Amino acid sequence: MNEHASEPAAGVLLGEYAEMLCQFMGQAHPVSALLAGTGLSRDLFSEPGYRLSMTATRRLLRNARQLDPAPDLGMRLGQPLNFGSHGFLGYAAISSSTLGQAFELAVRYIRTRAGLFDIQMLQDGDMTVVRFDARHALDDLLPLVCDALVTSILSIGEQMFRVIPAHRVHLLLPYGEAPHHQRWREHSDFQLHFGQLHLGASALVIRFPAQWMAAPLDTADPQLAMLAAARCEEELRLAGGADDVIIQVRQLARRFLREDNAQQCVADAMHISVRTLRRHLARANTTYKALSDVLRHELAVDLLRDRTRSVEDIASELGYSDPSNFGRAFRRWAGMSPRQFRQQ
């Protein structure tokens, strides 16, 4: 099955988080094993704004779990994630004047960091409900991802939630409690509820008294909050505009991959000039060549998993008249040849 057909054209996870995973797993395992089958090279993660596709994200996480099958892996992955790990969004939240402002920033700017979850903030009687909904099917990876998310929230919460009694904060998770979750109970007074969903949430719910939305944070820093929020707004503007342009161009680029004048074909389909297309892509901090390279890379990984297809046939489908050019491009993307990728 072609997973790319059902996932978003734009990526879902910043390369920064993939690099953190490489650093963590690399302490005990070869990074090459972590990246096996993803078609990714570690160099990509340092490129500004680079995002992993959902397919690559799933494969990366499953590789991590295969290398380290201990049930507390998610918890250990989330432990070093503090507010600074989440870029300007983390700094904006931790320096907010009130708890409510911090959550409002998280809801508004989550797209600047990852596309795995949507966050909603709701009112349920006298309680505020912060709901995390998975945007894409995580399936068996949901406990791993949520364990990391909750552990990070608890770590940050030690600073942010000092203004309210922790035992009045309820965390609801959709999966059952495991022995390693006892550590959360030992180090936090938060009320943990496993195997429960609230208001239809698919990943995580945080509930606390609505009156605490106005509670001031000890970490408040108005100047830092203003600067960080401004940067978040700029990142959101770029992410929103970039996503629209990237999605449209990628959809058209796939149709014209085999054309020699593919960029002109895409511009014609958009009813703009090539010069205007380049200008739009420049505003999205990318180029047509970069987008088509990423598209070819993702499609190549998907097609190479079908062992009934020859490398030469795949090269032709991706617009390479000479298979050796495809081989060189794939080696640049993945650090190995197409045939070596198939032998993993």
Side-chain angles (χ1 to χ4, degrees):
M1 179 180 178
N2 186 343
E3 290 185 76
H4 295 296
S6 60
E7 68 176 42
V12 300
L13 186 72
L14 274 180
E16 296 172 30
Y17 293 112
E19 174 57 27
M20 293 177 202
L21 181 60
C22 286
Q23 292 175 11
F24 179 88
M25 298 299 297
Q27 298 174 43
H29 307 280
V31 173
S32 59
L34 177 65
L35 299 179
T38 64
L40 301 173
S41 64
R42 190 173 181 179
D43 292 344
L44 292 171
F45 304 152
S46 60
E47 294 184 7
Y50 179 81
R51 289 174 179 254
L52 282 71
S53 69
M54 192 63 219
T55 297
T57 299
R58 289 192 192 99
R59 185 60 185 264
L60 192 70
L61 292 174
R62 289 199 168 102
N63 285 350
R65 191 175 58 188
Q66 185 174 8
L67 291 169
D68 186 344
D72 68 341
L73 174 61
M75 190 176 287
R76 286 183 284 118
L77 289 175
Q79 194 168 2
L81 298 180
N82 53 37
F83 65 87
S85 305
H86 305 296
F88 289 110
L89 174 55
Y91 286 106
I94 201 72
S95 60
S96 295
S97 58
T98 65
L99 186 64
Q101 184 184 54
F103 275 117
E104 288 167 0
L105 288 170
V107 170
R108 177 167 176 76
Y109 298 121
I110 185 65
R111 282 182 57 201
T112 67
R113 303 300 299 172
L116 292 175
F117 297 102
D118 283 324
I119 305 179
Q120 297 183 63
M121 194 157 54
L122 311 168
Q123 198 76 18
D124 183 16
D126 61 353
M127 301 291 283
T128 291
V129 178
V130 181
R131 188 172 100 177
F132 293 73
D133 292 304
R135 297 184 65 189
H136 313 286
L138 290 168
D139 302 322
D140 57 309
L141 293 171
L142 184 62
L144 172 69
V145 174
C146 283
D147 273 8
L149 176 63
V150 171
T151 302
S152 178
I153 289 173
L154 292 177
S155 175
I156 296 172
E158 290 179 2
Q159 295 174 291
M160 292 184 62
F161 287 97
R162 282 183 300 191
V163 297
I164 60 178
H167 71 276
R168 296 293 306 279
V169 179
H170 296 257
L171 273 68
L172 294 82
L173 297 109
Y175 48 90
E177 183 169 4
H180 66 275
H181 292 132
Q182 182 60 30
R183 277 180 251 164
W184 286 344
R185 298 191 184 280
E186 291 171 354
H187 295 97
S188 171
D189 290 329
F190 288 15
Q191 300 297 310
L192 302 171
H193 308 272
F194 290 88
Q196 298 185 33
L197 293 177
H198 183 75
L199 299 180
S202 57
L204 170 68
V205 163
I206 304 173
R207 287 171 53 88
F208 55 88
Q211 67 190 63
W212 292 342
M213 290 286 283
L217 296 183
D218 293 345
T219 54
D221 184 331
Q223 186 174 7
L224 176 59
M226 182 177 65
L227 292 173
R231 291 299 298 267
C232 286
E233 191 64 35
E234 177 65 12
E235 288 180 347
L236 181 65
R237 185 186 68 79
L238 292 173
D243 282 354
D244 292 342
V245 171
I246 289 170
I247 288 171
Q248 186 177 10
V249 172
R250 277 178 54 113
Q251 289 172 343
L252 293 169
R254 180 166 184 172
R255 187 195 310 172
F256 299 116
L257 270 181
R258 302 178 72 169
E259 302 294 332
D260 291 336
N261 61 337
Q263 186 172 193
Q264 181 67 61
C265 292
V266 169
D268 290 345
M270 295 175 67
H271 306 290
I272 59 176
S273 67
V274 170
R275 182 177 180 181
T276 300
L277 173 61
R278 288 172 178 161
R279 189 163 62 247
H280 287 331
L281 292 175
R283 290 197 193 106
N285 198 31
T286 190
T287 64
Y288 184 83
K289 183 181 185 306
L291 276 183
S292 59
D293 273 357
V294 170
L295 177 61
R296 284 190 170 100
H297 175 199
E298 292 177 356
L299 290 173
V301 168
D302 203 31
L303 293 169
L304 284 168
R305 292 195 176 110
D306 181 358
R307 295 181 179 273
T308 66
R309 301 284 299 274
S310 70
V311 172
E312 291 72 21
D313 182 39
I314 292 171
S316 176
E317 181 169 335
L318 295 178
Y320 294 95
S321 56
D322 185 346
S324 63
N325 290 337
F326 169 57
R328 282 192 290 272
F330 193 85
R331 188 179 292 276
R332 185 177 75 251
W333 299 327
M336 66 185 74
S337 71
R339 288 183 172 81
Q340 288 172 325
F341 176 81
R342 273 188 161 167
Q343 293 168 0
Q344 294 185 109

